[in-house]
């Protein structure tokens, strides 16, 4: 391993010889100077991993030397050593982007700890994180072989996401590979769990997890307060891991009250899951109650055009009182800016629902546009793209503005998405729908091991297009491919983000409540 080089400038450097000898013994290479000018000259000519500066030196002071060093190399860590603990000095030092400071007389162990913290922090964290995951790997593996409840599956998924986000910062390909395999195994077991239990949950809702059609009735409506507006923001297609990386930006402005999850209904597709949220009904019941509004897969036109009407009906049917509310759908940047401008007008409502479509567009753009495929070529990059969008979006601007008011905020989604890798052959007639993660139709031909087959859609409270219609859902990271254009399909869709089927990522999604600080 390459030795760490340290530049140390102090006009009383001779008094620090014991410290420097100790550091040399520990394998650090320390170059010393008695003034800021010489230290600066040396810094310009050579490379140093870390700089120690005495605050009170003749000629260039420590702060002046610090400023010059940061102009040359902003990323080099600099530690200021001072006898002076006055607040204004500390503020000046912090303002000059100091990385740490020590108070004289300095203790050799303090110096050593500071060096490790500033130069070896990444390595130490990496080693500790890898070791912690290795210990947890066995526990997770054993858990996956047990008969888990839906709440235990939520815990497993959250733990996998925790390790995914922790390990992505490390340059350890081996650990990433192990986690990827473990996540795949988790999705295999989860798919079996859903096959075994889903129809019973639909039939007996009290025995299952909170699902799309129950979300507003059981979570949102009971929490409405007539004297405080609630902003219910649904970011389409937002996975739990994507929420985790934007959450720190939200909590800069809001206090997080509760982190919760719910299960998306099947299919985990917008026309089913999101319509179910706003109507409070399963798709079959929607078709019966709203025959002119419900759109089946083979119908022409948009599939989410009546959410506002579904919401109004749901409120009236459930609460049996007037709730002053608004519904806004944001599909473009300009519409997002309009929301920011209109926030004051929304403050008089008890409930404001805002649907943000960006993440869904991102997942589809990744399929359609080569440039986006390059930018979001893996899970970490996909998350990064989401974070970048959120940081610069009108949505964050709106949240900052809302944080200045007394409001309740809810961030949620309708379903997640998964990166597909395994093609599954299917044959259907020309009326079969185009979604890659589920198919409905008659005379479907498929590999039974690769799908969850619902022979009678009405058992899942899904509409039945024809007497012999059935639904099939891909499991884990599969996607449906027609045999007659197999290679072309695989080349185009492999490794793209899709939704509609069964996976942890698609079905277990966030529902998070915040309040103004």
């Amino acid at each position: 391993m390459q030795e760490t080089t340290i530049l140390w400038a102090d006009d009383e450097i001779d008094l620090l010889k014991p410290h420097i000898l100790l550091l040399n013994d520990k394998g650090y290479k320390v170059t010393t100077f008695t003034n800021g000018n010489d230290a600066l000259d040396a810094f310009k000519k050579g490379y140093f991993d870390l700089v120690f500066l005495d605050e009170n030196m003749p000629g260039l002071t420590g702060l002046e030397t610090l400023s010059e060093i940061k102009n040359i190399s902003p990323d080099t860590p600099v530690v200021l050593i001072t006898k002076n603990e006055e607040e204004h000095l500390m503020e000046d030092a912090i303002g000059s982007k100091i990385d740490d400071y020590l108070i004289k007389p300095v203790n050799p162990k303090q110096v050593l700890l500071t060096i490790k913290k500033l130069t070896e922090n990444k390595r130490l964290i990496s080693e500790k994180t890898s070791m912690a995951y290795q210990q947890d790997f066995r526990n997770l593996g054993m858990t996956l072989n047990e008969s888990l409840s839906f709440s235990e599956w939520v815990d497993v998924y959250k733990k996998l996401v925790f390790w995914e986000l922790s390990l992505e910062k490390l340059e350890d390909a081996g650990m990433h590979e192990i986690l990827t395999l473990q996540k795949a195994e988790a999705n295999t077991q989860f798919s079996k769990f859903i096959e075994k239990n889903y129809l019973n949950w639909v039939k007996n809702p009290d025995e299952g997890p909170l699902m799309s059609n129950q979300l507003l009735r059981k979570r949102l409506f009971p929490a409405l307060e007539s004297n405080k507006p609630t902003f219910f923001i649904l970011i389409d297609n937002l996975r739990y891991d994507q929420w985790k990386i934007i959450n720190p930006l939200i909590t800069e402005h809001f206090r997080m009250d509760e982190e919760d999850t719910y299960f998306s209904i099947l299919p985990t597709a917008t026309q089913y899951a999101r319509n179910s949220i706003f109507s409070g009904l399963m798709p079959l019941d929607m078709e019966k109650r709203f025959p002119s509004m419900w759109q089946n897969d083979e119908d022409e036109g948009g599939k989410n055009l009546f959410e506002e009407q579904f919401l109004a009906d749901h409120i009236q049917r459930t609460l049996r009182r007037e709730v002053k509310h608004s519904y806004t759908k944001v599909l473009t940047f300009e519409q997002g800016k309009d929301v920011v401008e209109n926030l004051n007008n929304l403050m008089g409502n008890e409930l404001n629902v805002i649907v943000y479509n960006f993440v869904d567009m991102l997942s589809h753009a990744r399929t359609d546009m080569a440039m986006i495929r390059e930018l979001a070529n893996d899970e970490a990059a996909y998350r990064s793209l989401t974070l970048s969008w959120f940081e610069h979006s009108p949505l964050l601007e709106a949240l900052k503005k809302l944080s200045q008011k007394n409001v309740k905020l809810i961030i949620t989604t309708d379903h997640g998405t998964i990166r597909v890798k395994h093609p599954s052959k299917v044959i259907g007639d020309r009326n079969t729908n185009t979604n890659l993660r589920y198919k409905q139709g008659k005379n479907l031909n498929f590999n039974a091991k690769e799908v969850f087959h619902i022979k009678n859609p009405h058992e899942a409270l899904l509409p039945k297009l024809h007497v012999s219609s059935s639904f099939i859902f891909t499991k884990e990271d599969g996607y449906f491919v027609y045999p007659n254009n197999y290679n072309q399909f695989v080349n185009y869709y492999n490794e793209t983000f899709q939704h509609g089927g069964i996976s942890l990522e698609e079905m277990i999604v966030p529902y998070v409540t915040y309040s103004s600080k």
Side-chain angles (χ1 to χ4, degrees):
M1 192 172 73
Q2 195 172 2
E3 65 181 344
T4 301
T5 56
I6 298 169
L7 185 155
W8 197 329
D10 193 311
D11 59 335
E12 299 176 326
I13 201 73
D14 288 344
L15 300 176
L16 297 168
K17 273 188 178 174
H19 297 64
I20 290 158
L21 288 170
L22 172 69
L23 294 179
N24 287 335
D25 287 343
K26 294 284 185 183
Y28 299 104
K29 182 181 178 183
V30 185
T31 305
T32 61
F33 298 94
T34 57
N35 62 80
N37 287 312
D38 290 346
L40 200 55
D41 287 342
F43 188 83
K44 289 174 182 174
K45 292 172 185 172
Y47 174 82
F48 295 93
D49 295 294
L50 179 65
V51 177
F52 284 101
L53 295 175
D54 179 33
E55 180 258 325
N56 191 21
M57 291 185 291
L60 273 182
T61 67
L63 280 176
E64 289 168 340
T65 310
L66 162 68
S67 182
E68 292 291 334
I69 284 172
K70 286 293 184 180
N71 285 337
I72 298 165
S73 176
D75 296 328
T76 301
V78 180
V79 179
L80 196 69
I81 300 173
T82 177
K83 290 178 184 175
N84 192 340
E85 294 185 64
E86 288 185 24
E87 189 177 344
H88 75 88
L89 176 72
M90 293 300 104
E91 288 177 354
D92 287 347
I94 293 165
S96 301
K97 298 184 180 174
I98 197 161
D99 296 277
D100 205 349
Y101 71 90
L102 298 172
I103 306 296
K104 285 189 175 184
V106 289
N107 180 306
K109 285 185 179 176
Q110 275 183 304
V111 173
L112 199 58
L113 186 63
T114 298
I115 294 169
K116 283 187 177 293
K117 184 170 71 175
L118 294 176
T119 64
E120 299 182 50
N121 190 40
K122 192 173 180 182
R123 178 184 63 80
L124 292 171
I125 289 173
S126 175
E127 288 175 1
K128 193 168 181 64
T129 304
S130 294
M131 195 178 299
Y133 173 61
Q134 286 173 48
Q135 290 169 351
D136 211 23
F137 170 78
R138 183 175 298 188
N139 297 333
L140 269 169
M142 289 167 64
T143 300
L144 292 177
N145 290 320
E146 296 171 5
S147 180
L148 302 177
S149 65
F150 58 79
S151 59
E152 287 169 329
W153 270 113
V154 172
D155 293 339
V156 164
Y157 180 47
K158 285 184 174 182
K159 189 162 276 193
L160 287 167
V161 169
F162 169 80
W163 286 119
E164 191 170 23
L165 297 179
S166 299
L167 293 173
E168 89 173 17
K169 301 179 181 114
L170 313 184
E171 295 173 3
D172 189 335
M175 283 294 105
H176 285 280
E177 192 173 342
I178 291 168
L179 177 63
T180 300
L181 291 170
Q182 189 162 57
K183 202 172 170 189
E185 170 61 19
N187 261 324
T188 300
Q189 299 301 333
F190 180 71
S191 296
K192 291 176 183 175
F193 171 73
I194 294 297
E195 280 189 274
K196 184 178 177 182
N197 293 285
Y198 185 78
L199 292 179
N200 182 54
W201 294 347
V202 172
K203 190 177 177 183
N204 303 292
D206 293 339
E207 295 178 15
L210 182 73
M211 290 171 64
S212 309
N213 59 310
Q214 304 164 309
L215 189 64
L216 300 195
R217 179 169 55 86
K218 289 195 171 184
R219 282 289 184 278
L220 176 65
F221 293 163
L224 292 177
E225 299 175 41
S226 56
N227 63 338
K228 182 195 288 189
T230 294
F231 283 79
F232 179 93
I233 298 178
L234 188 150
I235 304 173
D236 192 9
N237 215 355
L238 185 78
R239 297 193 316 201
Y240 177 76
D241 60 325
Q242 290 171 299
W243 166 75
K244 286 291 278 187
I245 59 152
I246 67 170
N247 184 53
L249 288 175
I250 301 171
T251 52
E252 281 182 23
H253 308 285
F254 285 88
R255 182 176 67 243
M256 188 170 78
D257 296 326
E258 186 180 9
E259 175 197 323
D260 202 357
T261 57
Y262 77 93
F263 278 56
S264 170
I265 64 163
L266 293 175
T268 49
T270 306
Q271 79 185 80
Y272 290 93
R274 203 163 79 202
N275 279 328
S276 181
I277 290 171
F278 289 123
S279 68
L281 301 170
M282 292 294 280
L284 180 61
D285 298 321
M286 271 185 273
E287 184 188 45
K288 289 175 182 174
R289 186 171 179 85
F290 305 103
S292 63
M293 295 184 193
W294 170 256
Q295 295 283 90
N296 280 310
D297 282 308
E298 63 180 13
D299 294 334
E300 293 293 325
K303 306 292 193 270
N304 286 84
L305 301 178
F306 301 102
E307 289 167 1
E308 187 170 2
Q309 290 90 326
F310 291 157
L311 173 64
D313 178 75
H314 190 6
I315 290 171
Q316 190 59 44
R317 199 174 69 242
T318 305
L319 295 176
R320 299 188 183 280
R321 68 175 176 87
E322 286 300 316
V323 173
K324 195 176 180 188
H325 68 278
S326 70
Y327 171 89
T328 309
K329 187 181 287 189
V330 177
L331 299 171
T332 65
F333 185 85
E334 288 71 26
Q335 289 172 346
K337 295 296 281 185
D338 288 344
V339 169
V340 176
E341 297 301 317
N342 195 40
L343 282 180
N344 285 336
N345 296 329
L346 300 178
M347 292 302 294
N349 296 330
E350 189 174 345
L351 172 64
N352 296 291
V353 170
I354 301 172
V355 173
Y356 246 88
N357 235 45
F358 173 80
V359 180
D360 188 54
M361 289 190 287
L362 172 63
S363 69
H364 293 304
R366 194 191 176 281
T367 301
D368 297 332
M369 292 174 58
M371 183 181 73
I372 299 289
R373 290 181 79 148
E374 290 291 321
L375 287 172
N377 62 349
D378 60 18
E379 303 286 350
Y382 189 54
R383 283 189 289 270
S384 178
L385 213 53
T386 307
L387 178 61
S388 179
W389 160 72
F390 186 71
E391 281 179 310
H392 305 286
S393 71
L395 176 53
L396 182 55
E397 193 180 339
L399 293 183
K400 287 177 182 176
K401 201 168 173 182
L402 277 180
S403 69
Q404 305 302 311
K405 305 175 186 297
N406 184 24
V407 301
K408 179 175 287 186
L409 171 68
I410 292 160
I411 301 287
T412 190
T413 188
D414 46 6
H415 55 76
T417 185
I418 187 168
R419 190 157 59 117
V420 295
K421 297 175 186 173
H422 292 101
S424 177
K425 289 182 180 177
V426 65
I427 297 171
D429 63 26
R430 60 189 179 86
N431 292 321
T432 305
N433 62 303
T434 58
N435 188 289
L436 300 189
R437 293 280 291 163
Y438 80 92
K439 298 288 181 190
Q440 72 156 317
K442 53 186 179 180
N443 305 320
L444 294 172
N445 196 305
F446 50 86
N447 183 337
K449 291 180 181 178
E450 296 175 349
V451 308
F452 174 30
H453 183 201
I454 297 180
K455 294 177 185 175
N456 178 7
H458 285 182
E459 287 187 4
L461 293 182
L462 292 168
K464 188 188 287 190
L465 295 183
H466 308 281
V467 176
S468 58
S469 282
S470 68
F471 273 80
I472 53 173
F473 301 91
T474 47
K475 302 180 289 188
E476 307 158 51
D477 58 2
Y479 61 105
F480 288 124
V481 179
Y482 295 115
N484 57 350
N485 56 357
Y486 182 87
N487 290 330
Q488 179 188 348
F489 227 70
V490 168
N491 289 336
Y492 191 73
Y493 287 109
N494 203 54
E495 302 266 339
T496 62
F497 290 91
Q498 302 293 336
H499 56 85
I502 300 169
S503 67
L504 290 159
E505 293 92 327
E506 288 163 291
M507 290 193 75
I508 300 178
V509 288
Y511 182 90
V512 191
T513 56
Y514 304 84
S515 55
S516 304
K517 286 185 176 179

